[in-house]
Structure formats: C-alpha cells, structure tokens
C-alpha cells in the first residue's frame, strides 16, 4: 500500500463552495437555528415533493421524532414491524417510544422487506398478542421495496408507514415519485451522515405531507415547547391584559433537543445543489462494478437492481459465496485492507443482536441470514477514480484467490 491512499467504503465529497457556504454562516449572526435551517428544509421538501421537511440532529433523531409524533400508547401491546436488515437505530427508536419490535425477514438477494415477509411478521405479532401499529420499510442501499404492495397490506392491518430512507435521498420509486414524497408513508426519515449521498457532518430530516405531523415534529425537536398562544393552557401566566407575554412558552409534552445548526444546514443546502451529480457518478460506478464483478469470479455478484425504479445508490454491496470461494469474509476484508481498500458489512441482522435475541429467542429469519452470510460493501463515493476502481477489483481478485 506504499504511497497509496486508503480507500474507505464511503466518504463525503466537500467542495470549495461547500466550505464557503459554511464559512459564511460562521461569519454571520446565527450558529444554531437560523435562516439556513428554513432554507435547507424548503430545498429538501421541494426536491422530494413533500409539503413539509423538518431537519434535525441526525438520522436516528429523525426516526425518534417521527415515531414520537405518532403518539402511540406504550401499553406493552403496540408494536412496530422492522426489517432485520437495517442499522440498529430503526428498531431501537421504536423501543425508545415504548413499542415492541417485531422483525420481518428480507429478500436474501436485495435485503428488502417484501409483502410476503411483512405478512409473516404481522401474523407473528398477532400470535404474540401484539397489535401492529406502524411498519418501517428500509430503502436499502438506495433501493426501495415494493411500496404500493406494502402499503396496501399495512392498511389492511390498520398500520401506518414510516419510511427509513437513510440510504435513499434522490431515489425514484417504482411508482414514479421521489422517496420522501410518498403517497403511502405518513413520514419519511433521512440521514446526512458523511458516508451518505449528501453530507451535513451529522444531520437528518423527516418529510411529511401532513401539517399537523410537521408541527408535532418541530415541537418535539425543541424540547416539546410551544410559543403559540392558541395552544397555551396556563392562561394566568401566559397573558397580560389579553396579550400573550413576550417571554412565555409552554411544554405540553416532553420533547428532545434534536435541533440542527445553521452551519450544518448551510453545508446540506450546498450539497443539495450537487445531488444530481453525486447520483450520476454513483450510478456510473455501480454500472462499472456490475460489469467487472461478472468477470472477476463466479462466486461474486453485485446487489441486483430492482425493476421500474431509479435508485440513488448509497452502497455497492457485493454478494459473495465465501464458502464456495474457500475463504472467510474476515480473511477477504483483511486482504483488502492490506491493499489499502476498505470494506464493511451492512448489516448484521438486528434480530441477532443480544438485546433482541433475548426478546425473541426462537426467531429465525432465513432470508436475512442468507443475505448476511454473503454481503460485503465495497468503496462507493463520487471521488472514486478509475485507478481506484482498478485497485479495488485487483485487491478483490487477489483476496478471492486467497493470496496475500
């Protein structure tokens, strides 16, 4: 690896315009909530076709806010359906608002929840005496599940949908609408971590078509406080001579400090202007991976593309039959690293995590497990060059041959 830079599996692409946008905020009057927050929210809502966007501290906060805004009773019976192939935050935030989590299996090749796996999870929930209230489909690696079919099935059980679209800013679903402007999801959650398609350092957002939910999201984002006189309950403290006191606020419910800063939103707004270019470059890289992996080894393929949608790829996931190749995933990753190539596993099935395994000790999800056995995320980001791609593929070839 002498003289060569390390190639991580993902990284941000920060331009001079991005730096200038952040610098301008740092030289201005607002560091935390200010005009860039409103500007970023407006740009995001416009991009995805949503009536409202509420920016927040990170993608996990977005999930927490969305689930809290539903105000579902934590009675020990209400539950959320979560696909097992996701980051732990999707399940954890359902637990954070007091919901039980029932895991759905996923397609072994795409890692996406399906109507069949959702149906099984809904039945498992009912057999456990639970009431399904919300389904959280994950738009994995930039691809969407069949949202039309999932929404129809969820509706028959009285469930609403909250999209976990942390991987899918810019994806156009099979229904022809941008993820985040769905006619089916009551809310959609995004992440703007540095490895995502656009970066805010840390950052997240929730989009919705519902003005009441948008108001709840904003209130919960800021400790649950309101300054709206029409909402005040303690009129003796709130008003003087019929006018609202200028200092006054109330907390009708407990919220969180999940606000985003003005300089985060300045970066996000600048990055949003480059979203189409980022997507185009990632799409070209995925196409190149697809062609090259076909000739690299019979034991490796790329995550297959779903029909009738236009994914904004977040991950380049290779599916490798490690047993047939005669080498472990750990050994492949070690050899890649020795050649300066990073890789990652997205994800360990969440139902196998000790916390959840104790709650569902006999649960087996063969599709999620089969996907997990084979997945390996390769470098994917806009600044990856042709030379970098050559290095990745050469290192992968070497690794699958068991060579150092």
């Amino acid at each position: 690896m002498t003289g060569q830079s390390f190639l991580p599996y993902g990284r941000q692409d920060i331009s001079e315009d991005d730096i200038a946008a952040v610098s301008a905020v740092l030289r201005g009057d607002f560091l935390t909530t200010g005009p860039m927050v409103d500007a970023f929210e407006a740009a995001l809502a416009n991009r995805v076709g949503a009536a409202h966007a509420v920016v927040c501290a990170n993608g996990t906060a977005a999930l927490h806010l969305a689930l809290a805004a539903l105000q579902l009773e934590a009675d020990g019976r209400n539950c959320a359906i979560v696909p097992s192939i996701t980051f732990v935050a999707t399940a954890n935030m359902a637990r954070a608002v007091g919901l039980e989590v029932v895991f759905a299996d996923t397609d072994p090749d795409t890692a996406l929840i399906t109507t069949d796996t959702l149906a099984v999870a809904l039945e498992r929930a009912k057999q456990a005496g639970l009431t399904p209230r919300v389904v959280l489909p994950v738009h994995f690696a930039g691809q969407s599940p069949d949202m039309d079919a999932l929404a129809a099935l969820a509706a028959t059980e009285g469930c609403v949908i909250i999209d976990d679209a942390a991987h899918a800013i810019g994806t156009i679903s099979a229904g022809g609408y941008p993820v985040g402007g769905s006619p089916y999801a009551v809310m959609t959650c995004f992440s703007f971590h540095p490895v995502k398609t656009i970066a805010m350092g840390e950052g997240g957002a929730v989009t919705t078509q519902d003005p009441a939910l948008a108001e709840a999201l904003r209130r919960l984002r800021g400790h649950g406080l309101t300054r709206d006189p029409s909402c005040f309950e303690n009129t003796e403290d709130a008003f003087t001579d019929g006018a609202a006191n200028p200092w006054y606020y109330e907390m009708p419910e407990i919220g969180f400090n999940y606000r985003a800063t003005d300089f985060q939103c300045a970066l996000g707004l600048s990055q949003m202007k480059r979203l189409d270019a980022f997507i185009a470059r990632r799409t070209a890289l995925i196409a190149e991976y697809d062609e090259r992996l076909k000739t690299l080894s019979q034991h490796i393929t790329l995550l297959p593309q779903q029909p009738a949608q236009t994914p904004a790829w977040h991950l380049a996931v290779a599916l490798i039959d490690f047993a047939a190749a005669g080498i472990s995933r750990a050994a492949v990753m070690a050899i890649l690293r020795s050649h300066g190539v990073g890789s990652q596993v997205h994800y360990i099935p969440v139902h196998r995590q000790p916390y959840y395994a104790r709650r569902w000790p006999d649960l087996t999800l063969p599709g999620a497990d089969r996907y997990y056995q084979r997945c390996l995320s390769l470098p994917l980001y806009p600044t990856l060059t042709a030379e970098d791609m050559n290095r990745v593929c050469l290192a992968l070839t070497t690794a699958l041959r068991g060579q150092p």
Side-chain angles (χ1 to χ4, degrees):
M1 189 183 137
T2 305
Q4 293 181 313
S5 61
F6 186 78
L7 304 176
Y9 84 86
R11 61 166 299 164
Q12 71 277 7
D13 178 5
I14 302 299
S15 70
E16 289 301 320
D17 286 344
D18 295 335
I19 294 169
V22 174
S23 296
V25 170
L26 295 177
R27 294 188 179 96
D29 294 328
F30 294 92
L31 289 184
T32 186
T33 308
M36 289 296 104
V37 172
D38 293 338
F40 178 75
E41 289 179 340
L44 177 60
N46 180 69
R47 174 65 194 229
V48 304
H52 307 276
V54 179
V55 69
C56 58
N58 51 59
T60 301
L63 288 163
H64 197 185
L65 287 171
L67 286 158
L70 291 181
Q71 297 184 318
L72 297 175
E73 186 178 356
D75 59 0
R77 289 176 48 84
N78 287 334
C79 71
I81 309 295
V82 177
S84 187
I85 298 298
T86 184
F87 185 53
V88 295
T90 317
N92 289 354
M93 291 306 97
R95 293 293 298 139
V97 299
L99 299 178
E100 186 57 80
V101 172
V102 175
F103 289 103
D105 205 356
T106 61
D107 183 283
D109 295 325
T110 67
L112 296 170
I113 188 173
T114 69
T115 50
D116 288 343
T117 64
L118 175 57
V120 171
L122 289 167
E123 183 59 30
R124 189 187 316 117
K126 288 184 285 186
Q127 288 179 357
L130 300 171
T131 304
R133 300 296 302 276
V134 58
V135 179
L136 291 113
V138 173
H139 298 251
F140 182 77
Q143 297 203 103
S144 294
D146 185 347
M147 293 305 302
D148 294 26
L150 290 175
L153 178 55
T156 66
E157 298 293 337
C159 294
V160 299
I161 287 178
I162 294 176
D163 283 338
D164 183 341
H167 292 190
I169 180 70
T171 292
I172 305 298
S173 73
Y177 53 82
V179 171
S182 167
Y184 304 115
V186 293
M187 288 171 280
T188 299
C189 301
F190 292 102
S191 170
F192 307 118
H193 183 275
V195 299
K196 300 302 195 302
T197 304
I198 67 171
M200 287 174 56
E202 288 281 1
V206 185
T207 60
T208 183
Q209 309 293 9
D210 188 326
L213 285 175
E215 176 57 31
L217 291 164
R218 291 192 174 95
R219 186 172 64 250
L220 290 166
R221 176 179 64 182
H223 297 283
L225 302 179
T226 180
R227 296 181 183 273
D228 181 354
S230 68
C231 297
F232 292 160
E233 299 176 31
N234 187 350
T235 56
E236 183 177 350
D237 288 344
F239 300 96
T240 299
D241 297 329
N245 290 320
W247 68 85
Y248 192 74
Y249 56 84
E250 282 188 353
M251 191 191 78
E253 59 187 325
I254 291 176
F256 321 100
N257 183 1
Y258 281 165
R259 295 167 299 197
T261 67
D262 235 40
F263 52 86
Q264 283 175 293
C265 289
L267 177 56
L269 186 60
S270 181
Q271 289 261 298
M272 187 75 73
K273 297 173 184 176
R274 305 169 65 202
L275 179 56
D276 287 332
F278 288 157
I279 293 171
R281 179 60 181 153
R282 286 170 174 269
T283 300
L285 289 168
I286 287 290
E288 186 171 351
Y289 267 129
D290 191 38
E291 285 301 312
R292 297 185 69 157
L293 294 188
K294 287 176 182 176
T295 61
L296 190 151
S297 167
Q298 62 178 325
H299 304 305
I300 183 170
T301 62
L302 199 66
L303 195 76
Q305 182 168 335
Q306 291 290 89
Q309 63 178 261
T310 307
W313 291 101
H314 163 53
L315 296 173
V317 180
L319 300 177
I320 303 172
D321 189 337
F322 293 101
I327 188 170
S328 71
R329 178 165 51 195
V332 169
M333 294 178 75
I335 293 169
L336 290 176
R337 176 166 285 275
S338 73
H339 287 260
V341 175
S343 58
Q344 188 53 274
V345 172
H346 295 95
Y347 294 100
I348 302 169
V350 186
H351 78 278
R352 296 170 65 153
Q353 294 294 343
Y355 173 85
Y356 291 108
R358 287 192 293 268
R359 302 185 76 82
W360 298 96
D362 300 320
L363 180 61
T364 58
L365 298 176
D369 288 341
R370 175 62 179 151
Y371 167 80
Y372 170 58
Q373 290 167 0
R374 297 175 295 150
C375 66
L376 186 67
S377 296
L378 303 174
L380 182 70
Y381 43 90
T383 56
L384 200 72
T385 66
E387 181 182 351
D388 295 335
M389 179 69 80
N390 287 336
R391 181 145 62 101
V392 172
C393 292
L394 178 60
L396 194 55
T397 302
T398 299
L400 290 177
R401 290 174 179 169
Q403 298 172 349

